[in-house]
Amino acid sequence: MRRRQGAVEPLVFHTFNTVFMIMLVIVTLYPFLNTIVVSFNAGNDTIRGGLYLWPRQFTLQNYKAVFASGTIYDAFLISVARTVLSTILNIFLTTMLAYAISRREYIFRKPITAIFVLTMYFNAGLIPGYFLMKDLHLLNNFLVYVLPSMISAFNLIVIRTYIGTISESLVESARIDGAGDFKIFWRLIFPLCKPVLATIALFVAVGAWNSWFDAFLYTSSRQELSTLQYELMKLLSSSMNANSNPAVANGVGMEHMTQVTPISIRAAITIVASVPILMVYPFMQKYFVVGLNVGSVKE
């Protein structure tokens, strides 16, 4: 009787676990899949509702409306350049500072840590921030996308904590071999931090890619510095009244205007904005797995 019970319990657990995970995947993926369906469906038909996993009236007019404006392509390049530079600088500089304040022999590590932690709780506000960018001559300047995000207080604390888990004997061995602080950081600490850096890099990249308010605030008077998210936001705002949207009218033609609605445009914009950053995730996945393996064997 006990043997039979011992054989049934694992089967019940695995069955329940499999069903639960399948339901979780469905709940997670369905909203995104439904957004894709809406983006490929005629807007006037979408209003009827009842769209699930396949479009009833397939059309590309929603995407033609999104890409009708020639500024989308230049804005895409600006967003890519901003995301790449912000991610690289943030990861490198934040990790370097995290290594410095993780060293016990550095006497200013506690005051510097306290200063950065304070910035997580207190903010000067929108207007002082604007005047600061103005005094630094960063208005209508591409660097306004990069310089303010070079150091992140939250990321700094996370990386410093991770560096604290690295064995001190490795650093001492490197010093005995004659390595300096920068060489220890670049050849030892930085490679060992790849799992946490991959996670932080994804967070920074997603934040830089999705940001549009700073473009509206600091560079709105220079069209050539507009980002993809800002252009899509303007298109979404104007699509609330499709007849007054010249980009939609010129891109899809007046005879197709009934196929484009704010709901369908919003779905197409969501896909256009999401797909590029989603393509980055598979390259980061292996580092997430390594980080879990490292964490599972850590003392």
Side-chain angles (χ1 to χ4, degrees), residues 2-246:
R2 291 183 178 179
R3 291 182 180 179
R4 182 178 300 178
Q5 184 179 1
V8 171
E9 288 180 356
L11 179 61
V12 173
F13 172 78
H14 289 302
T15 302
F16 175 80
N17 189 44
T18 301
V19 173
F20 175 77
M21 295 304 296
I22 292 175
M23 295 298 296
L24 184 62
V25 169
I26 293 175
V27 171
T28 304
L29 290 182
Y30 176 73
F32 187 73
L33 295 177
N34 184 255
T35 302
I36 295 177
V37 171
V38 173
S39 70
F40 283 107
N41 196 74
N44 55 351
D45 182 73
T46 302
I47 298 176
R48 294 166 47 197
L51 286 176
Y52 300 105
L53 296 176
W54 196 259
R56 280 193 302 261
Q57 296 184 15
F58 183 83
T59 181
L60 295 176
Q61 300 304 328
N62 299 317
Y63 289 96
K64 289 182 179 179
V66 172
F67 291 103
S69 175
T71 59
I72 290 292
Y73 303 98
D74 294 334
F76 176 80
L77 295 178
I78 291 294
S79 291
V80 170
R82 168 191 182 162
T83 302
V84 172
L85 289 176
S86 297
T87 304
I88 293 175
L89 289 177
N90 185 284
I91 290 299
F92 181 75
L93 296 178
T94 304
T95 307
M96 182 180 292
L97 180 58
Y99 169 69
I101 63 176
S102 68
R103 307 310 305 156
R104 295 181 180 179
E105 62 270 19
Y106 184 48
I107 60 176
F108 296 110
R109 65 188 185 95
K110 290 185 178 180
I112 292 178
T113 302
I115 291 173
F116 276 95
V117 169
L118 285 176
T119 64
M120 298 173 60
Y121 298 98
F122 300 97
N123 192 337
L126 184 63
I127 296 177
Y130 179 85
F131 282 109
L132 175 62
M133 297 299 109
K134 182 179 179 180
D135 293 339
L136 294 175
H137 304 287
L138 292 178
L139 296 184
N140 296 317
N141 191 328
F142 176 78
L143 294 179
V144 76
Y145 296 143
V146 179
L147 295 182
S149 61
M150 288 194 303
I151 299 292
S152 171
F154 177 79
N155 296 342
L156 176 67
I157 301 302
V158 172
I159 298 174
R160 187 203 65 176
T161 303
Y162 188 90
I163 292 176
T165 64
I166 298 175
S167 177
E168 185 66 22
S169 60
L170 296 176
V171 178
E172 294 177 355
S173 299
R175 291 191 185 279
I176 293 175
D177 291 337
D181 284 320
F182 186 80
K183 189 173 183 179
I184 293 174
F185 165 77
W186 183 248
R187 300 292 297 274
L188 181 64
I189 301 299
F190 199 82
L192 291 177
C193 290
K194 280 185 179 181
V196 69
L197 294 184
T199 306
I200 297 298
L202 186 62
F203 291 160
V204 175
V206 170
W209 179 262
N210 289 335
S211 181
W212 65 269
F213 188 69
D214 50 0
F216 165 74
L217 195 62
Y218 302 127
T219 62
S220 57
S221 60
R222 289 189 62 184
Q223 178 60 43
E224 62 270 22
L225 291 179
S226 181
T227 62
L228 177 63
Q229 301 296 337
Y230 184 46
E231 289 299 313
L232 295 179
M233 186 277 299
K234 291 192 295 183
L235 178 60
L236 180 60
S237 298
S238 60
S239 69
M240 299 306 293
N241 184 358
N243 293 326
S244 67
N245 186 357

